[in-house]
Amino acid sequence: MSDATPVLPAANRAWHLVRRPEGWPVPEDFALRELPVTAPAEGAVLVRNRYFSVDPYMRGRMNDVKSYVPPFRLDQPMDGGAVGEVVASAADGFAPGDLVLHGLGWREYAEVRAEHAARVDTSLAPLPAYLGVLGMPGLTAYAGLLEVASFQPGDAVFVSGAAGAVGGQVGQIARLKGASRVIGSAGSDEKVRLLTEEYGFDAAFNYKKAPVAEQLAAAAPDGIDIYFDNVGGEHLEAALASLKVHGRVTVCGMIARYNVTEPPSAPRNLDLLIRKRLRMEGMLVADHQALQPRFVAEVSGWIRSGELTYRETVVEGVEHGVDAFLGLLRGENTGKMIVSLESPEG
Ligand code: NDP
C-alpha cells in the first residue's frame, strides 16, 4: 500500500455502448464519454491503461442475449482485457509503477480490485504480449489444440483465421509439437505469405479466392486429423469433408456468423460425424486456466528462442478504439489487434 497522495488525472475517457448493433456494428453504436477519476477505494488500485484489447467475442456481448459473459449494458463503459501501470494503490502488495493485467479495458484509467489485477512479467515479453501471445488468445490456442483437440505428434492440422491472434499461434504450436502438416486459411495473399514464409505453415490459402473445400483438398491431399475452427460456415463444412476417420474439431469461434442476421446454411454435412466417427468439441478459454503456468513457461521459451513468432496490429489512441474493433471484424489486423494509449513521448 502506498501512503503518498496520488496526483489524479483530470480526465478519463471510456467507450460506452449506446445502441445494440443490428448486423454489422457502426460507429454510431458507440460513444466516447468522460468518466470521473477518484482515488482508489480500500483494496483497489488505480491503473493507467497502456493497452487494451479488442476481441471478436465482444461482438456477442453487444447483443442482449444470455451467454457465458454478460452482455455490455447500454450507456455503461464497456470492459475487456487491458494492461497498464498502477498510479495509485490502496491495496496491500501493489505500488505505483506495478504493471498489471485486468479486465477493465476500453478506457484510459480503471479502478481495479486487487484480486482482479494480475502482475505481469515484462522480462518474458513486452507488455502488450499479455493481451495476445502470452494472454487470453495464446492460452486459447494452446489449450484448444493440445487439450481440446488432443493433438498428437504426426497429426495434420488445419486452422482457419490463421493469421489472427489465436490462429497464428495454433499453427506454430502444432509445428513445434511435431505436426506432420500444418495448413492455414486467411483473407489476403499477404497474410497467406506470412503463414508459409514466417510462421512455418506447410501450406496456406486465401479463402476469398476460391471455394474453401477445393483449396483445402488441394492443400491436404491426404486429409487432416484436426480442424481448429475460428470461422464456422463454409470453412467448417470443408474441414468436415477433409477430416480423416476419428478426426477432431476444436470449435473455438465462428466469426463468419457474428455479424449476419440470417443463420448461414453451411455446414450441410454433419452426417460425416457419424460416418467418420469424428469428435467435435466447443471450447471456452476460461475453462483452461489451470494450464496458464505451463502455457506461459512453454510459449515464452519459444518466443525467447525465436521458434515462435507473432504479430500485433496496434491502433494508437483511445479515440480510435471503436475503429480498431470494427477493423478487427473486417480482417484489418494481422495477429492481435490492440489499442495503444501510450502518449507520444512514451
Ligand atoms: P483474430 O485476430 O483472428 O481476428 C479476427 C479475424 O477473423 C480477422 O482478422 C479476419 O481475418 C477473420 N475474419 C473476419 N470475418 C471472417 C469471415 N467471414 N470468414 C473468415 N474469417 C473472417 O481474432 P482472435 O484470434 O482473437 O479470435 C479468433 C477466433 O477465436 C474468433 O472466432 C473468436 O471468437 C475465437 N475465440 C474464442 C475463444 C474461446 O474461448 N472459445 C477465446 C478467444 C477467441 P481474415 O483477413 O483472415 O478474414
Side-chain angles (χ1 to χ4, degrees), residues 18 42 49 62 73 91 132 179 181 195 205 212 236 245 280 285 287 297 315-316 321 342:
V18 297
E42 195 57 37
N49 283 339
M62 292 168 191
R73 286 169 39 219
R181 191 164 175 80
L195 298 179
F205 59 86
V212 179
L236 178 54
V245 170
M280 220 169 128
V285 61
D287 295 342
V315 172
E316 303 282 340
E342 298 287 44

Side-chain angles (χ1 to χ4, degrees), residues 48-64:
R48 178 174 77 81
N49 283 339
R50 289 175 52 183
Y51 300 91
F52 70 80
S53 182
V54 290
D55 297 274
Y57 81 89
M58 292 171 174
R59 175 63 190 87
R61 297 189 65 194
M62 292 168 191
N63 300 331
D64 192 14

Side-chain angles (χ1 to χ4, degrees), residues 182-215:
V182 180
I183 302 145
S185 69
S188 75
D189 291 348
E190 202 184 330
K191 289 184 181 184
V192 165
R193 266 196 304 279
L194 170 76
L195 298 179
T196 53
E197 290 173 15
E198 286 186 40
Y199 288 178
F201 283 52
D202 298 289
F205 59 86
N206 179 345
Y207 68 87
K208 293 179 179 166
K209 279 194 156 166
V212 179
E214 276 174 25
Q215 299 199 77

Side-chain angles (χ1 to χ4, degrees), residues 82-337:
V83 283
E85 181 180 340
V86 170
V87 290
S89 173
D92 286 333
F94 286 95
D98 287 350
L99 297 173
V100 291
L101 169 71
H102 62 90
L104 294 178
W106 286 100
R107 68 196 74 187
E108 292 173 297
Y109 288 86
E111 183 182 349
V112 184
R113 302 280 322 156
E115 62 272 25
H116 297 145
R119 217 181 285 278
V120 297
D121 180 356
T122 49
S123 72
L124 298 179
L127 190 56
Y130 285 89
L131 299 177
V133 67
L134 281 188
M136 182 278 282
L139 180 61
T140 304
Y142 190 85
L145 180 71
L146 303 182
E147 207 151 78
V148 182
S150 314
F151 173 87
Q152 297 297 321
D155 281 341
V157 177
F158 171 48
V159 57
S160 53
V166 174
Q169 213 158 333
V170 168
Q172 292 187 75
I173 296 171
R175 168 175 56 73
L176 287 161
K177 292 276 183 184
S180 60
R181 191 164 175 80
V182 180
I183 302 145
S185 69
S188 75
D189 291 348
E190 202 184 330
K191 289 184 181 184
V192 165
R193 266 196 304 279
L194 170 76
L195 298 179
T196 53
E197 290 173 15
E198 286 186 40
Y199 288 178
F201 283 52
D202 298 289
F205 59 86
N206 179 345
Y207 68 87
K208 293 179 179 166
K209 279 194 156 166
V212 179
E214 276 174 25
Q215 299 199 77
L216 178 57
D222 300 326
I224 55 174
D225 299 284
I226 290 176
Y227 173 46
F228 193 109
D229 193 13
N230 287 317
V231 168
E234 190 197 349
H235 271 87
L236 178 54
E237 184 170 302
L240 292 175
S242 276
L243 276 158
K244 299 180 200 167
V245 170
H246 295 304
R248 289 92 71 202
V249 181
T250 294
V251 185
C252 173
M254 293 203 171
I255 197 164
R257 59 181 299 167
Y258 294 175
N259 297 306
V260 299
T261 45
E262 291 295 319
S265 52
R268 296 161 297 183
N269 54 355
L270 285 176
D271 57 308
L272 290 177
L273 265 78
I274 309 163
R275 281 175 32 206
K276 298 190 195 176
R277 285 84 85 203
L278 304 176
R279 180 163 68 76
M280 220 169 128
E281 186 173 326
M283 75 164 290
L284 274 184
V285 61
D287 295 342
H288 300 274
Q289 288 305 324
L291 276 182
Q292 178 78 14
R294 199 177 101 197
F295 151 70
V296 171
E298 199 161 17
V299 172
S300 62
W302 286 328
I303 295 172
R304 239 190 340 269
S305 66
E307 291 169 283
L308 187 144
T309 172
Y310 65 95
R311 291 286 185 92
E312 290 163 347
T313 300
V314 181
V315 172
E316 303 282 340
V318 68
E319 61 280 11
H320 295 300
V322 163
D323 299 336
F325 175 68
L326 300 179
L328 170 82
L329 297 177
R330 288 193 292 261
E332 287 167 11
N333 60 308
T334 300
K336 181 75 191 95
M337 185 67 114

